[in-house]
Amino acid sequence: MDAGPPYNPRTVEEVFRDFKGRRAGLIKALTTEVNLFFQQCDPEKENLCLYGLPTEQWKVTLPAEEVPPEIPEPALGINFARDGMQEKDWLSLVAVHSDAWLLGVAFYFGARFQFEKTDRKRLFNMINELPTIFEIVTGTAKKQVKEKSTNSNHGSNKPKSNSKRGSESQGKYAKVMQAREDYEDGSEDEDEDEHGETLCGACGENYASDEFWICCDVCEKWFHGKCVKITPARAEHIKQYKCPSCSNKRSRP
């Protein structure tokens, strides 16, 4: 298996950067590029593994031939269960194993380069600040954010006429235009307070007022424009936006 050029992060920051890169690649495979991932996991092929690369890319291929491998190996034979269970359940299962693999790789580097107790704890805390791949794939991360937002705003009757959440009832155009205004004006008012923990359905990163976002009309998840390759200008001409995952679900026979 060729998972890219040899890369040996030696500090906590380097290991975390490696973790984020691999994680971003895996999230792509299970969300925005799920159709391609589905096709590559042919049950008729040999045991296949899903690898996340430090370059934020992913790869489905055979496991490493050398024993022991250069780094811990991900779950083996993910393709065999593809057609034997519901797609969402299969993707959730792959997501769980991917989370376990990411932690295994990160702490493999920690052990290899003799991280001390404080460094291991710091690495785990940095990782723990990010939602898991399973939470992103299943939508759990978004539910947690909604519950937290609901609890923090409980009992408050203050109107939020300028927030994106309030504009959702006005249709897709209003949502896109509000997101574009935030992007162009760099507004950091109560909108960011409300959406500061909204997570991108593709990369899992938090909302920021200086970035353009767009909401899927089917699953209602928010995405960075750059993650789904949608610009503010292009968004104005979209009557109903479907994210790549929702589009693939409807186009797949």
Side-chain angles (χ1 to χ4, degrees), residues 12 15-16 106-107 119-127:
V12 172
V15 171
F16 183 59
F107 282 88
D119 287 335
R120 294 196 302 271
K121 183 177 181 179
R122 186 157 65 94
L123 174 60
F124 179 78
N125 288 338
M126 293 168 72
I127 291 174

Side-chain angles (χ1 to χ4, degrees), residues 2 4 14 38 57 68 71 75 87 89 92 100 114 135 140 157-159 162 184 189 191 194 201 215 231 244 247 249:
D2 181 12
E14 288 176 343
F38 188 91
Q57 300 301 315
I71 61 173
E87 181 183 339
D89 294 332
S92 297
Q114 302 178 5
E135 289 173 338
T140 307
N157 295 320
K158 182 179 178 181
N162 292 327
E184 293 177 344
D189 56 8
D191 181 62
E194 183 180 357
C215 181
T231 63
S247 296
K249 287 179 182 177

